[in-house]
Coordinates of all heavy atoms in Angstrom, one line a residue:
M25 N 91.8 94.4 83.2 CA 92.2 95.5 84.1 C 93.6 95.8 83.9 O 94.5 95.0 83.9 CB 91.9 94.9 85.5 CG 92.4 95.9 86.7 SD 92.2 95.1 88.2 CE 92.3 96.6 89.2
I26 N 93.9 97.1 83.9 CA 95.2 97.7 83.8 C 95.7 98.2 85.1 O 95.0 99.0 85.7 CB 95.4 98.6 82.7 CG1 95.1 98.1 81.4 CG2 96.7 99.3 82.7 CD1 95.0 99.0 80.2
L27 N 96.8 97.8 85.7 CA 97.3 98.2 87.0 C 98.0 99.5 86.8 O 98.8 99.7 85.8 CB 98.2 97.2 87.6 CG 97.5 95.9 87.9 CD1 98.7 94.9 88.4 CD2 96.5 96.0 88.9
N28 N 97.9 100.4 87.7 CA 98.7 101.6 87.8 C 99.8 101.4 88.7 O 99.9 102.0 89.8 CB 97.8 102.8 88.3 CG 98.4 104.1 88.2 OD1 99.5 104.2 87.5 ND2 98.0 105.1 88.9
V29 N 100.7 100.6 88.2 CA 102.0 100.2 89.0 C 103.2 100.2 88.0 O 102.9 100.3 86.8 CB 101.9 98.8 89.6 CG1 100.8 98.8 90.7 CG2 101.6 97.8 88.6
P30 N 104.4 100.3 88.5 CA 105.5 100.2 87.6 C 105.4 99.1 86.6 O 105.0 98.0 86.9 CB 106.7 100.1 88.5 CG 106.2 100.6 89.8 CD 104.8 100.3 89.9
G31 N 105.6 99.4 85.4 CA 105.6 98.3 84.3 C 104.2 98.3 83.6 O 104.2 97.7 82.6
S32 N 103.3 99.2 84.0 CA 102.1 99.2 83.3 C 101.9 100.6 82.7 O 102.4 101.6 83.3 CB 100.8 98.9 84.1 OG 100.6 99.9 85.1
E33 N 101.3 100.7 81.6 CA 101.0 101.9 80.9 C 99.5 102.2 81.0 O 98.8 101.7 80.3 CB 101.5 101.9 79.5 CG 102.9 101.6 79.3 CD 103.8 102.8 79.7 OE1 103.5 103.9 79.7 OE2 105.0 102.4 80.1
P34 N 99.1 103.1 81.9 CA 97.7 103.4 82.1 C 97.0 103.7 80.8 O 95.8 103.3 80.7 CB 97.6 104.5 83.1 CG 98.9 104.6 83.7 CD 99.9 104.0 82.8
S35 N 97.6 104.3 79.8 CA 96.8 104.7 78.6 C 97.0 103.6 77.5 O 96.4 103.7 76.5 CB 97.4 106.0 78.1 OG 98.8 105.8 77.8
S36 N 97.7 102.5 77.8 CA 97.8 101.4 76.8 C 97.0 100.2 77.2 O 97.0 99.8 78.3 CB 99.3 101.0 76.8 OG 99.5 99.9 76.1
P37 N 96.4 99.6 76.1 CA 95.6 98.4 76.4 C 96.5 97.1 76.5 O 96.0 96.1 76.8 CB 94.7 98.3 75.1 CG 95.6 99.0 74.1 CD 96.4 100.0 74.8
S38 N 97.8 97.2 76.3 CA 98.6 96.0 76.4 C 98.8 95.5 77.8 O 98.4 96.1 78.8 CB 100.0 96.3 75.9 OG 100.7 97.3 76.7
S39 N 99.3 94.3 78.0 CA 99.4 93.7 79.3 C 100.5 94.4 80.1 O 101.4 94.9 79.5 CB 99.9 92.2 79.1 OG 98.8 91.4 78.4
P40 N 100.3 94.4 81.4 CA 101.4 94.9 82.2 C 102.8 94.2 82.0 O 102.8 93.0 81.7 CB 100.9 94.7 83.6 CG 99.5 94.5 83.5 CD 99.3 93.9 82.2
I41 N 103.9 95.0 82.1 CA 105.2 94.3 81.9 C 106.0 94.3 83.1 O 105.7 95.0 84.1 CB 105.9 95.1 80.7 CG1 106.2 96.5 81.1 CG2 105.3 95.0 79.5 CD1 107.2 97.3 80.3
C42 N 107.0 93.4 83.1 CA 107.9 93.2 84.2 C 108.6 94.5 84.6 O 109.0 95.3 83.7 CB 108.9 92.2 83.7 SG 110.1 91.7 85.1
S43 N 108.8 94.6 86.0 CA 109.5 95.9 86.5 C 111.0 95.8 86.4 O 111.6 96.8 86.7 CB 109.1 96.1 87.9 OG 107.6 96.3 88.0
A44 N 111.5 94.6 86.1 CA 113.0 94.5 86.0 C 113.6 95.4 84.9 O 113.0 95.6 83.9 CB 113.4 93.1 85.7
K45 N 114.7 96.1 85.3 CA 115.3 97.1 84.3 C 115.5 96.4 83.0 O 116.2 95.4 82.8 CB 116.6 97.6 84.9 CG 117.3 98.6 84.0 CD 118.4 99.2 84.7 CE 119.0 100.4 84.0 NZ 120.2 100.9 84.6
G46 N 115.0 97.1 81.9 CA 115.2 96.7 80.6 C 114.3 95.5 80.1 O 114.3 95.1 79.0
C47 N 113.6 94.9 80.9 CA 112.7 93.8 80.6 C 111.4 94.2 80.0 O 110.8 95.2 80.6 CB 112.4 92.8 81.8 SG 111.5 91.3 81.4
R48 N 110.9 93.7 78.9 CA 109.7 94.0 78.3 C 108.7 92.9 78.3 O 107.7 92.9 77.6 CB 109.9 94.5 76.9 CG 110.9 95.6 76.7 CD 110.5 97.0 77.4 NE 109.3 97.5 76.9 CZ 108.5 98.4 77.5 NH1 108.9 98.8 78.7 NH2 107.4 98.8 77.0
A49 N 109.0 91.8 79.0 CA 108.2 90.6 79.1 C 106.9 90.9 79.8 O 106.8 91.8 80.7 CB 108.9 89.4 79.7
D50 N 105.9 90.2 79.5 CA 104.6 90.3 80.1 C 104.7 89.9 81.6 O 105.4 88.9 82.0 CB 103.5 89.4 79.6 CG 103.0 89.8 78.3 OD1 103.3 91.1 77.9 OD2 102.4 89.1 77.6
A51 N 104.2 90.6 82.6 CA 104.2 90.3 84.0 C 103.3 89.2 84.3 O 102.1 89.1 83.8 CB 103.9 91.6 84.8
V52 N 103.7 88.3 85.2 CA 102.8 87.3 85.7 C 102.7 87.2 87.2 O 101.9 86.4 87.7 CB 103.1 85.9 85.1 CG1 102.9 85.8 83.6 CG2 104.6 85.4 85.3
W53 N 103.5 87.9 87.8 CA 103.7 88.0 89.3 C 103.5 89.5 89.9 O 104.0 90.4 89.2 CB 104.9 87.4 89.8 CG 105.0 86.0 89.5 CD1 105.7 85.4 88.5 CD2 104.4 84.9 90.2 NE1 105.6 84.0 88.4 CE2 104.8 83.6 89.5 CE3 103.6 84.8 91.3 CZ2 104.4 82.5 90.0 CZ3 103.2 83.6 91.7 CH2 103.5 82.4 91.1
V54 N 103.0 89.6 91.0 CA 102.9 90.9 91.7 C 103.7 90.7 93.0 O 103.5 89.8 93.8 CB 101.5 91.3 92.1 CG1 101.5 92.6 92.9 CG2 100.6 91.6 90.8
L55 N 104.7 91.5 93.2 CA 105.5 91.5 94.4 C 105.1 92.7 95.2 O 105.3 93.9 94.9 CB 107.0 91.6 94.1 CG 107.7 90.4 93.5 CD1 107.2 90.0 92.2 CD2 109.1 90.6 93.4
A56 N 104.4 92.4 96.3 CA 103.8 93.4 97.3 C 105.0 93.7 98.3 O 105.5 92.8 98.9 CB 102.6 93.0 97.9
W57 N 105.3 95.0 98.5 CA 106.3 95.3 99.5 C 106.0 96.6 100.1 O 105.1 97.4 99.7 CB 107.7 95.4 98.7 CG 107.7 96.4 97.7 CD1 107.3 96.3 96.3 CD2 108.3 97.7 97.7 NE1 107.5 97.4 95.6 CE2 108.1 98.4 96.5 CE3 108.8 98.4 98.8 CZ2 108.6 99.7 96.2 CZ3 109.3 99.7 98.6 CH2 109.2 100.3 97.3
N58 N 106.8 96.9 101.2 CA 106.8 98.3 101.8 C 108.2 98.6 102.4 O 108.8 97.6 102.8 CB 105.6 98.5 102.6 CG 105.7 98.1 104.1 OD1 106.7 97.5 104.5 ND2 104.6 98.3 104.8
N59 N 108.6 99.7 102.5 CA 109.7 100.2 103.2 C 109.2 100.7 104.6 O 108.6 101.7 104.6 CB 110.4 101.3 102.5 CG 111.6 101.8 103.2 OD1 111.8 101.6 104.4 ND2 112.5 102.5 102.4
P60 N 109.5 99.9 105.7 CA 109.0 100.3 106.9 C 109.4 101.7 107.5 O 108.8 102.3 108.3 CB 109.4 99.2 107.9 CG 110.5 98.5 107.2 CD 110.3 98.7 105.7
K61 N 110.6 102.2 106.9 CA 111.0 103.5 107.3 C 110.2 104.6 106.7 O 110.2 105.8 107.2 CB 112.5 103.7 106.9 CG 113.4 102.8 107.7 CD 114.9 103.1 107.3 CE 115.8 102.2 108.1 NZ 117.1 102.4 107.8
L62 N 109.5 104.2 105.5 CA 108.7 105.3 104.8 C 107.2 105.1 104.9 O 106.4 106.0 104.7 CB 109.1 105.3 103.4 CG 110.6 105.7 103.1 CD1 110.9 105.5 101.6 CD2 111.0 107.0 103.6
H63 N 106.8 103.8 105.0 CA 105.4 103.4 104.7 C 104.8 102.9 106.1 O 105.4 102.3 106.8 CB 105.2 102.4 103.7 CG 105.9 102.8 102.4 ND1 106.9 102.0 101.8 CD2 105.7 103.9 101.6 CE1 107.3 102.6 100.7 NE2 106.5 103.7 100.5
T64 N 103.5 103.2 106.2 CA 102.8 102.5 107.3 C 102.7 101.1 107.1 O 102.8 100.5 106.0 CB 101.3 103.1 107.4 OG1 100.7 102.8 106.2 CG2 101.3 104.6 107.7
P65 N 102.6 100.1 108.2 CA 102.6 98.7 108.0 C 101.6 98.1 107.0 O 101.9 97.1 106.3 CB 102.3 98.2 109.4 CG 102.7 99.3 110.3 CD 102.4 100.5 109.5
E66 N 100.5 98.7 106.9 CA 99.5 98.2 105.9 C 99.7 98.6 104.5 O 99.0 98.0 103.6 CB 98.1 98.5 106.5 CG 97.7 100.0 106.4 CD 98.3 100.9 107.6 OE1 98.8 100.3 108.6 OE2 98.1 102.1 107.6
R67 N 100.5 99.6 104.3 CA 100.7 100.1 102.9 C 101.4 99.1 102.0 O 102.3 98.4 102.5 CB 101.6 101.4 103.0 CG 101.9 101.9 101.7 CD 101.1 103.1 101.2 NE 101.4 103.4 99.8 CZ 102.0 104.5 99.5 NH1 102.5 105.3 100.4 NH2 102.3 104.8 98.2
R68 N 101.0 98.9 100.8 CA 101.6 98.0 99.9 C 102.0 98.6 98.6 O 101.1 99.2 98.0 CB 100.8 96.7 99.6 CG 100.6 95.8 100.8 CD 101.9 95.1 101.3 NE 101.7 94.4 102.4 CZ 102.0 94.7 103.7 NH1 102.3 95.9 103.9 NH2 101.9 93.9 104.7
K69 N 103.2 98.7 98.3 CA 103.7 99.1 96.9 C 103.8 97.9 96.1 O 103.9 96.7 96.6 CB 105.1 99.9 97.1 CG 105.2 101.0 98.0 CD 104.5 102.2 97.4 CE 105.4 102.8 96.4 NZ 104.9 104.0 95.8
T70 N 103.9 98.0 94.8 CA 103.9 96.7 94.0 C 105.0 96.9 92.9 O 105.2 98.0 92.3 CB 102.6 96.5 93.4 OG1 102.1 97.6 92.6 CG2 101.6 96.0 94.5
W71 N 105.6 95.8 92.6 CA 106.5 95.6 91.4 C 105.8 94.5 90.7 O 105.2 93.6 91.2 CB 107.9 95.2 91.8 CG 108.7 96.3 92.2 CD1 108.4 97.6 92.2 CD2 110.1 96.3 92.6 NE1 109.5 98.4 92.7 CE2 110.5 97.6 92.9 CE3 111.0 95.2 92.8 CZ2 111.8 97.9 93.4 CZ3 112.3 95.5 93.3 CH2 112.6 96.8 93.5
L72 N 106.0 94.5 89.4 CA 105.5 93.3 88.6 C 106.7 92.5 88.1 O 107.9 93.1 88.0 CB 104.7 93.8 87.4 CG 103.5 94.7 87.6 CD1 102.9 95.2 86.4 CD2 102.5 94.0 88.5
A73 N 106.6 91.2 88.0 CA 107.7 90.4 87.5 C 107.2 89.3 86.5 O 106.1 88.7 86.6 CB 108.2 89.6 88.7
C74 N 108.1 89.1 85.5 CA 107.9 87.9 84.7 C 108.4 86.7 85.3 O 109.0 86.8 86.5 CB 108.6 88.2 83.4 SG 110.4 88.3 83.4
E75 N 108.2 85.5 84.8 CA 108.8 84.3 85.4 C 110.4 84.4 85.6 O 110.9 84.0 86.6 CB 108.5 83.0 84.5 CG 107.1 82.6 84.6 CD 106.7 82.0 86.0 OE1 107.7 81.7 86.8 OE2 105.5 81.9 86.3
E76 N 111.0 84.9 84.6 CA 112.5 85.0 84.6 C 113.0 85.9 85.7 O 114.1 85.6 86.4 CB 113.0 85.5 83.3 CG 114.6 85.5 83.2 CD 115.1 86.0 82.0 OE1 114.3 86.2 81.0 OE2 116.3 86.4 81.9
H77 N 112.3 86.9 86.0 CA 112.8 88.0 87.0 C 112.2 87.8 88.5 O 112.5 88.6 89.3 CB 112.7 89.4 86.5 CG 113.6 89.6 85.3 ND1 113.2 89.8 84.1 CD2 115.0 89.6 85.3 CE1 114.2 89.9 83.3 NE2 115.3 89.9 83.9
R78 N 111.3 86.9 88.6 CA 110.5 86.8 89.9 C 111.5 86.6 91.1 O 111.5 87.3 92.1 CB 109.6 85.7 89.8 CG 108.9 85.4 91.2 CD 108.0 84.3 91.3 NE 107.5 83.9 92.5 CZ 107.0 82.8 92.9 NH1 106.7 81.8 92.0 NH2 106.6 82.6 94.1
D79 N 112.4 85.6 91.0 CA 113.3 85.3 92.0 C 114.3 86.5 92.3 O 114.5 86.9 93.4 CB 114.1 84.1 91.7 CG 113.3 82.8 91.9 OD1 112.3 82.8 92.6 OD2 113.6 81.8 91.3
H80 N 114.8 87.1 91.2 CA 115.8 88.2 91.4 C 115.2 89.3 92.1 O 115.7 89.9 93.0 CB 116.3 88.6 90.0 CG 117.2 89.8 90.0 ND1 118.4 89.9 90.5 CD2 116.8 91.1 89.7 CE1 118.8 91.1 90.5 NE2 118.0 91.9 90.0
L81 N 114.0 89.7 91.7 CA 113.3 91.0 92.3 C 112.9 90.6 93.6 O 113.0 91.4 94.6 CB 112.1 91.4 91.4 CG 112.4 91.9 90.0 CD1 111.2 92.2 89.3 CD2 113.3 93.3 90.1
S82 N 112.4 89.4 93.9 CA 112.0 89.0 95.2 C 113.3 89.0 96.2 O 113.1 89.4 97.3 CB 111.5 87.5 95.2 OG 110.3 87.5 94.6
K83 N 114.4 88.5 95.8 CA 115.6 88.5 96.6 C 116.0 90.0 96.9 O 116.4 90.2 98.0 CB 116.7 87.7 96.0 CG 116.5 86.3 96.0 CD 117.5 85.5 95.2 CE 117.2 84.0 95.2 NZ 118.2 83.2 94.4
F84 N 115.9 90.8 95.9 CA 116.3 92.2 96.1 C 115.5 92.8 97.3 O 116.0 93.4 98.1 CB 116.1 93.0 94.7 CG 116.5 94.4 94.8 CD1 117.7 94.9 94.6 CD2 115.5 95.4 95.2 CE1 118.0 96.2 94.7 CE2 115.7 96.7 95.2 CZ 117.1 97.1 95.0
L85 N 114.1 92.6 97.1 CA 113.3 93.1 98.2 C 113.5 92.4 99.5 O 113.4 93.1 100.7 CB 111.8 93.1 97.7 CG 111.5 94.0 96.5 CD1 110.1 93.6 96.0 CD2 111.5 95.5 96.9
S86 N 113.7 91.2 99.5 CA 113.8 90.3 100.8 C 115.0 90.7 101.5 O 115.0 90.9 102.8 CB 113.9 88.9 100.5 OG 112.6 88.4 100.0
V87 N 116.1 90.9 100.8 CA 117.5 91.3 101.5 C 117.2 92.6 102.3 O 117.8 92.7 103.4 CB 118.6 91.4 100.5 CG1 119.8 92.1 101.1 CG2 118.9 90.1 100.0
R88 N 116.4 93.5 101.8 CA 116.1 94.8 102.5 C 115.0 94.7 103.5 O 114.7 95.6 104.2 CB 115.8 95.8 101.5 CG 117.1 96.1 100.6 CD 116.8 96.7 99.2 NE 117.9 97.0 98.5 CZ 118.7 96.0 97.9 NH1 118.4 94.8 97.9 NH2 119.8 96.4 97.3
G89 N 114.4 93.5 103.6 CA 113.3 93.4 104.6 C 112.0 94.0 104.1 O 111.1 94.3 104.9
F90 N 111.9 94.2 102.8 CA 110.7 94.9 102.3 C 109.6 94.0 101.7 O 108.5 94.4 101.6 CB 111.1 95.8 101.0 CG 112.1 97.0 101.5 CD1 112.5 97.8 100.4 CD2 112.4 97.3 102.8 CE1 113.4 98.9 100.7 CE2 113.2 98.4 103.0 CZ 113.7 99.1 102.0
L91 N 110.0 92.9 101.2 CA 109.0 92.0 100.6 C 108.0 91.4 101.6 O 108.3 90.9 102.6 CB 109.7 90.7 99.9 CG 108.8 89.9 99.0 CD1 108.3 90.6 97.8 CD2 109.6 88.6 98.6
K92 N 106.7 91.6 101.2 CA 105.6 91.1 102.0 C 104.8 90.0 101.4 O 104.4 89.1 102.1 CB 104.6 92.3 102.2 CG 105.2 93.5 103.0 CD 105.8 93.2 104.3 CE 106.4 94.3 104.9 NZ 107.4 94.0 106.1
D93 N 104.7 90.0 100.1 CA 104.0 88.9 99.4 C 104.3 88.8 97.9 O 104.6 89.8 97.4 CB 102.4 89.2 99.7 CG 101.5 87.9 99.6 OD1 102.1 86.8 99.4 OD2 100.3 88.0 99.6
V94 N 104.1 87.6 97.4 CA 104.2 87.3 96.0 C 103.0 86.7 95.6 O 102.8 85.5 96.1 CB 105.5 86.6 95.6 CG1 105.7 86.3 94.2 CG2 106.8 87.2 96.1
V95 N 102.3 87.3 94.6 CA 101.0 86.8 94.2 C 100.9 86.7 92.7 O 101.3 87.6 92.0 CB 99.9 87.7 94.8 CG1 98.5 87.2 94.4 CG2 100.0 87.9 96.3
P96 N 100.3 85.6 92.1 CA 100.1 85.6 90.7 C 99.2 86.9 90.3 O 98.3 87.3 91.1 CB 99.2 84.4 90.5 CG 99.6 83.6 91.6 CD 99.8 84.5 92.8
L97 N 99.6 87.5 89.2 CA 98.9 88.7 88.7 C 97.4 88.5 88.6 O 96.6 89.4 89.0 CB 99.5 89.1 87.4 CG 98.9 90.4 86.7 CD1 99.1 91.6 87.6 CD2 99.5 90.6 85.3
A98 N 97.0 87.4 88.1 CA 95.5 87.2 87.9 C 94.8 87.1 89.2 O 93.7 87.6 89.4 CB 95.3 85.8 87.2
E99 N 95.5 86.6 90.3 CA 94.9 86.6 91.6 C 94.9 88.0 92.2 O 93.9 88.4 92.9 CB 95.7 85.7 92.5 CG 95.1 85.4 93.9 CD 95.9 84.4 94.7 OE1 96.4 83.4 94.2 OE2 96.2 84.7 95.9
W100 N 95.9 88.7 92.0 CA 96.0 90.1 92.5 C 94.9 91.1 91.9 O 94.3 91.8 92.6 CB 97.3 90.8 92.2 CG 97.6 92.1 92.8 CD1 97.4 93.3 92.2 CD2 98.0 92.4 94.1 NE1 97.7 94.4 93.1 CE2 98.1 93.8 94.3 CE3 98.4 91.6 95.2 CZ2 98.5 94.4 95.4 CZ3 98.8 92.2 96.4 CH2 98.9 93.6 96.5
E101 N 94.6 90.7 90.7 CA 93.6 91.5 90.0 C 92.1 91.1 90.3 O 91.2 91.9 90.0 CB 93.7 91.4 88.5 CG 94.9 92.1 87.9 CD 95.1 91.9 86.4 OE1 94.7 90.8 85.9 OE2 95.7 92.7 85.8
S102 N 92.0 90.0 91.1 CA 90.6 89.6 91.4 C 90.0 90.6 92.4 O 90.7 91.2 93.2 CB 90.7 88.2 92.0 OG 91.3 88.2 93.3
P103 N 88.7 90.7 92.5 CA 88.0 91.6 93.3 C 88.4 91.5 94.8 O 88.2 92.5 95.6 CB 86.5 91.4 93.1 CG 86.4 90.6 91.9 CD 87.8 89.8 91.7
E104 N 88.7 90.3 95.3 CA 89.0 90.2 96.8 C 90.3 90.9 97.2 O 90.4 91.1 98.3 CB 89.1 88.7 97.1 CG 88.0 87.9 96.7 CD 87.9 87.4 95.3 OE1 88.9 86.9 94.9 OE2 86.9 87.6 94.7
Q105 N 91.2 91.3 96.3 CA 92.5 91.8 96.6 C 92.3 93.3 96.9 O 91.5 94.0 96.2 CB 93.5 91.7 95.5 CG 94.1 90.2 95.5 CD 95.0 90.0 96.7 OE1 95.5 90.9 97.3 NE2 95.1 88.7 97.0
P106 N 93.1 93.9 97.8 CA 93.1 95.3 98.1 C 93.7 96.0 96.8 O 94.6 95.5 96.1 CB 94.0 95.5 99.3 CG 94.9 94.3 99.3 CD 94.1 93.1 98.7
P107 N 93.4 97.3 96.6 CA 94.0 98.0 95.5 C 95.5 98.2 95.7 O 96.0 98.2 96.8 CB 93.3 99.3 95.6 CG 92.5 99.4 96.8 CD 92.5 98.0 97.4
A108 N 96.2 98.2 94.6 CA 97.7 98.4 94.6 C 98.0 99.7 95.2 O 97.2 100.8 94.9 CB 98.2 98.3 93.2
G109 N 99.1 99.9 95.9 CA 99.4 101.2 96.5 C 100.7 101.6 96.0 O 101.4 102.5 96.1

């Protein structure tokens, strides 16, 4: 499954990549977030993260009060998860 989120190329069969600026590593985490000033409470935007950038990106979102969940990419792609927003 290819995610239509930052870091993924919808037309490319390659793995999704980390959303950190300049990083080209494979993503292994999904950071679900929303900006309460712009999004309804149930809306979830997503960033992807490699192991190296997971903490940095999580802290960036947390400081702003945006981070809602951090989930392994494989789990996020499972059928039980809601679609990425």
Side-chain angles (χ1 to χ4, degrees):
M25 174 180 198
I26 297 176
L27 298 175
N28 187 15
V29 294
S32 69
E33 300 291 332
S35 61
S36 171
S38 64
S39 298
I41 60 168
C42 181
S43 298
K45 186 176 182 177
C47 184
R48 304 299 297 164
D50 288 344
V52 292
W53 296 97
V54 175
L55 285 63
W57 62 277
N58 84 2
N59 179 340
K61 291 182 181 179
L62 302 175
H63 307 121
T64 59
E66 66 279 353
R67 173 97 188 259
R68 293 294 179 265
K69 304 287 283 179
T70 55
W71 281 359
L72 302 178
C74 64
E75 283 293 342
E76 181 181 349
H77 291 110
R78 175 187 173 190
D79 286 339
H80 172 74
L81 293 173
S82 293
K83 287 177 186 173
F84 179 89
L85 292 168
S86 291
V87 165
R88 290 155 180 80
F90 295 174
L91 186 64
K92 302 301 178 191
D93 204 4
V94 179
V95 180
L97 179 60
E99 187 178 315
W100 185 265
E101 291 177 328
S102 70
E104 300 86 48
Q105 283 292 337

